[in-house]
Amino acid sequence: MALPAVAADAGNGRSLAQARCAACHIVAPGARAEVADSPPFETIGRNFGFDAERIATAILAPHPKMNLTLTRSEARDIAAHIGSLAH
Protein backbone atom coordinates (compact mmCIF):
# COMPACT_ATOMS: atom_id res chain seq x y z
CA MET A 1 0.00 0.00 0.00
CA ALA A 2 1.44 3.36 -1.02
CA LEU A 3 1.74 6.03 1.62
CA PRO A 4 0.02 9.34 0.90
CA ALA A 5 2.28 12.13 -0.29
CA VAL A 6 3.16 14.64 2.38
CA ALA A 7 3.21 18.26 1.31
CA ALA A 8 6.55 20.00 1.66
CA ASP A 9 6.81 22.63 4.38
CA ALA A 10 8.47 25.84 3.13
CA GLY A 11 8.61 27.28 6.67
CA ASN A 12 10.50 24.25 7.92
CA GLY A 13 12.66 24.46 4.80
CA ARG A 14 13.59 28.04 5.64
CA SER A 15 14.54 27.00 9.19
CA LEU A 16 16.58 24.06 7.89
CA ALA A 17 18.28 26.29 5.33
CA GLN A 18 19.19 28.88 7.95
CA ALA A 19 20.63 26.18 10.20
CA ARG A 20 22.35 24.00 7.62
CA CYS A 21 22.91 25.97 4.40
CA ALA A 22 23.50 29.61 5.44
CA ALA A 23 27.19 29.04 6.10
CA CYS A 24 27.68 28.98 2.32
CA HIS A 25 24.48 30.27 0.66
CA ILE A 26 22.25 33.31 0.98
CA VAL A 27 19.08 31.49 1.99
CA ALA A 28 16.69 34.45 2.11
CA PRO A 29 16.54 37.86 0.44
CA GLY A 30 18.55 40.48 2.30
CA ALA A 31 20.78 37.96 4.08
CA ARG A 32 24.54 38.34 4.33
CA ALA A 33 26.84 37.56 1.40
CA GLU A 34 27.49 33.96 0.46
CA VAL A 35 30.82 32.21 0.87
CA ALA A 36 33.05 31.79 -2.20
CA ASP A 37 31.00 30.95 -5.27
CA SER A 38 27.97 29.32 -3.62
CA PRO A 39 24.91 30.75 -5.36
CA PRO A 40 22.12 32.44 -3.41
CA PHE A 41 18.94 30.39 -3.12
CA GLU A 42 17.10 32.84 -5.41
CA THR A 43 19.64 32.10 -8.16
CA ILE A 44 19.29 28.36 -7.60
CA GLY A 45 15.53 28.75 -7.83
CA ARG A 46 15.75 30.67 -11.09
CA ASN A 47 18.15 28.08 -12.56
CA PHE A 48 15.60 25.33 -11.85
CA GLY A 49 12.52 27.34 -12.83
CA PHE A 50 11.46 27.38 -9.15
CA ASP A 51 10.39 23.74 -9.67
CA ALA A 52 10.57 22.32 -6.14
CA GLU A 53 10.84 18.67 -7.25
CA ARG A 54 13.80 19.43 -9.55
CA ILE A 55 15.44 21.47 -6.79
CA ALA A 56 14.97 18.67 -4.23
CA THR A 57 16.54 16.17 -6.62
CA ALA A 58 19.51 18.51 -7.13
CA ILE A 59 19.91 19.01 -3.38
CA LEU A 60 20.10 15.24 -2.88
CA ALA A 61 22.68 14.77 -5.64
CA PRO A 62 26.33 14.71 -4.56
CA HIS A 63 27.27 18.23 -3.52
CA PRO A 64 31.07 18.54 -3.79
CA LYS A 65 31.55 21.34 -1.27
CA MET A 66 28.88 20.21 1.16
CA ASN A 67 29.47 17.78 4.00
CA LEU A 68 25.78 17.49 4.74
CA THR A 69 23.32 14.65 4.55
CA LEU A 70 19.65 15.47 4.19
CA THR A 71 16.61 13.24 4.18
CA ARG A 72 14.29 13.37 1.18
CA SER A 73 11.74 15.18 3.35
CA GLU A 74 14.30 17.80 4.43
CA ALA A 75 15.40 18.33 0.82
CA ARG A 76 11.76 18.76 -0.25
CA ASP A 77 11.17 21.30 2.53
CA ILE A 78 14.28 23.29 1.55
CA ALA A 79 13.22 23.09 -2.10
CA ALA A 80 9.76 24.38 -1.13
CA HIS A 81 11.45 27.33 0.59
CA ILE A 82 13.54 28.02 -2.50
CA GLY A 83 10.41 27.75 -4.65
CA SER A 84 8.70 30.31 -2.43
CA LEU A 85 11.37 32.87 -3.37
CA ALA A 86 9.99 33.19 -6.93
CA HIS A 87 9.07 36.76 -7.77
Side-chain angles (χ1 to χ4, degrees), residues 1 21 23 27-28 37 46 55 59 62 66 69-70 74 81:
M1 176 186 210
C21 307
V27 300
D37 46 336
R46 267 189 249 107
I55 295 167
I59 290 170
M66 179 178 76
T69 302
L70 296 169
E74 290 170 329
H81 166 62

Side-chain angles (χ1 to χ4, degrees), residues 25-83:
H25 295 275
I26 295 173
V27 300
R32 62 152 187 80
E34 77 273 13
V35 174
D37 46 336
S38 301
F41 275 16
E42 283 185 277
T43 300
I44 293 169
R46 267 189 249 107
N47 290 343
F48 286 91
F50 292 99
D51 180 326
E53 192 57 37
R54 286 182 59 214
I55 295 167
T57 299
I59 290 170
L60 290 170
H63 199 105
K65 296 180 184 178
M66 179 178 76
N67 185 18
L68 174 67
T69 302
L70 296 169
T71 67
R72 182 86 170 130
S73 178
E74 290 170 329
R76 290 178 109 165
D77 287 353
I78 291 170
H81 166 62
I82 293 172

